């Protein structure tokens, strides 16, 4: 089932890239494996998937221990508490959920020598006023300038989780707003727009996503 889902998702991504007039392979698929067992990750890996996203640190570390022999790029996508930054800096290649300078500073200071810079994204709260995660769009220019000066981080762009919408046009709106605001910053270092999940994949790709985070459509519903 997971291999079939992966194949279908890769085909969908290609089709949406084409429909949107985008380059083939300009959108990376991140497999979001939170709450799913390591055996599901292995099934996706054997079908060719290499990038996996986790939200909960202890759960992620447990899976990483089981899967140490696999060539996986691990992405941390959940909320970050200060006391978790050290393990995140040690055990991940990407962090999508940076939403303060303090967290960025800790990640940079705690990134082990000998590892490449940690790829980070700033989480922007684009439509969901009730959620505490993510900065406001207006804060992005200043925070990105400050984070770019940190030595052991590589700021790659932004991540967002808009409020769920069923209607396609309503799904597009926040993505378009974020994409045009970030593009207007003209920040050469930014090459990553992390948005789009199982329910809004098409809208996200049409509105410039370069990285979609897919859980349910790949691994099935979570309990
Ligand atoms: C769970 C989660 C996803 C995946 O959501 P699905 O709707 O299951 O595809 C993507 N991004 C984040 C930050 C998540 O927590």
């Amino acid at each position: 089932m997971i291999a079939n889902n992966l194949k279908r998702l890769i085909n969908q991504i290609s089709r949406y890239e084409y429909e949107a007039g985008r380059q083939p392979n300009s959108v990376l698929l991140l497999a979001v494996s939170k709450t799913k067992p390591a055996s599901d990750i292995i099934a996706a890996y054997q079908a060719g998937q290499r990038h996996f996203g986790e939200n909960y640190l202890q759960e992620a570390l447990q899976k990483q221990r089981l899967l140490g022999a696999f060539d996986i790029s691990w992405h941390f996508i959940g909320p970050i508490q200060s006391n978790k930054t050290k393990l995140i800096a040690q055990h991940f290649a990407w962090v999508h959920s940076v939403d303060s300078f303090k967290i960025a500073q800790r990640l940079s200071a705690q990134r082990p020598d000998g590892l490449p810079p940690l790829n980070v994204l700033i989480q922007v709260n684009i439509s969901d006023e009730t959620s505490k995660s993510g900065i406001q769009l207006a804060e992005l220019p200043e925070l990105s300038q400050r984070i770019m000066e940190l030595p052991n981080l590589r700021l790659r762009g932004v991540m967002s989780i808009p409020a769920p919408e069923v209607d396609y046009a309503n799904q597009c709106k926040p993505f378009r707003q974020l994409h045009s605001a970030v593009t207007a910053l003209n920040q050469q270092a930014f090459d990553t727009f992390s948005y789009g999940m199982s329910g809004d994949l098409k809208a996200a790709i049409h509105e410039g996503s370069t990285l979609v985070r897919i859980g349910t459509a790949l691994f099935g519903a979570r309990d």
Side-chain angles (χ1 to χ4, degrees):
M1 180 197 85
I2 290 171
N4 282 336
N5 289 346
L6 183 61
K7 206 166 163 189
R8 191 189 63 249
L9 282 161
I10 289 168
N11 286 334
Q12 279 176 335
I13 290 170
S14 301
R15 188 168 76 247
Y16 300 150
E17 284 171 343
Y18 177 78
E19 287 173 2
R22 313 240 340 243
Q23 292 295 321
N25 303 313
S26 53
V27 180
L28 182 74
L29 171 57
L30 177 66
V32 177
S33 43
K34 63 171 178 237
T35 79
K36 298 294 179 181
S39 55
D40 283 6
I41 296 178
I42 295 174
Y45 185 93
Q46 285 172 341
Q49 181 65 27
R50 291 295 179 269
H51 289 264
F52 290 86
E54 290 281 343
N55 294 56
Y56 311 109
L57 182 61
Q58 290 311 321
E59 179 191 341
L61 296 178
Q62 206 178 342
K63 290 176 195 171
Q64 289 179 357
R65 279 193 289 273
L66 290 168
L67 299 168
F70 292 72
D71 175 29
I72 289 176
S73 182
W74 293 99
H75 296 232
F76 191 81
I77 64 173
I80 306 173
Q81 296 151 281
S82 296
N83 62 351
K84 303 284 168 64
T85 52
K86 187 168 187 184
L87 285 166
I88 293 172
Q90 288 171 340
H91 292 277
F92 290 82
W94 285 77
V95 178
H96 292 224
S97 39
V98 172
D99 65 357
S100 74
F101 184 67
K102 181 184 157 202
I103 291 291
Q105 215 172 12
R106 291 176 64 92
L107 289 170
S108 179
Q110 293 169 333
R111 182 69 167 170
D113 291 339
L115 287 186
L118 181 61
N119 296 296
V120 299
L121 303 174
I122 295 175
Q123 184 171 352
V124 179
N125 185 348
I126 194 76
S127 65
D128 184 3
E129 282 87 34
T130 58
S131 158
K132 283 195 283 295
S133 295
I135 63 161
Q136 297 301 306
L137 200 43
E139 301 170 71
L140 183 62
E142 195 198 329
L143 182 60
S144 53
Q145 280 307 331
R146 295 180 74 195
I147 290 180
M148 267 181 306
E149 281 160 24
L150 295 171
N152 300 322
L153 302 186
R154 183 171 169 207
L155 180 61
R156 302 288 296 268
V158 292
M159 181 273 239
S160 193
I161 314 172
E165 289 281 355
V166 189
D167 178 70
Y168 180 78
N170 289 338
Q171 291 179 350
C172 289
K173 243 178 266 173
F175 295 148
R176 191 176 310 150
Q177 188 195 354
L178 179 63
H179 192 269
S180 61
V182 173
T183 305
L185 290 180
N186 199 20
Q187 187 49 258
Q188 301 301 315
F190 284 10
D191 60 6
T192 305
F193 291 87
S194 168
Y195 49 73
M197 315 200 300
S198 296
D200 53 16
L201 176 62
K202 178 176 176 177
I205 293 175
H206 276 254
E207 300 300 338
S209 171
T210 67
L211 190 160
V212 291
R213 309 178 310 267
I214 305 294
T216 309
L218 177 57
F219 295 114
R222 291 177 293 273
D223 299 331

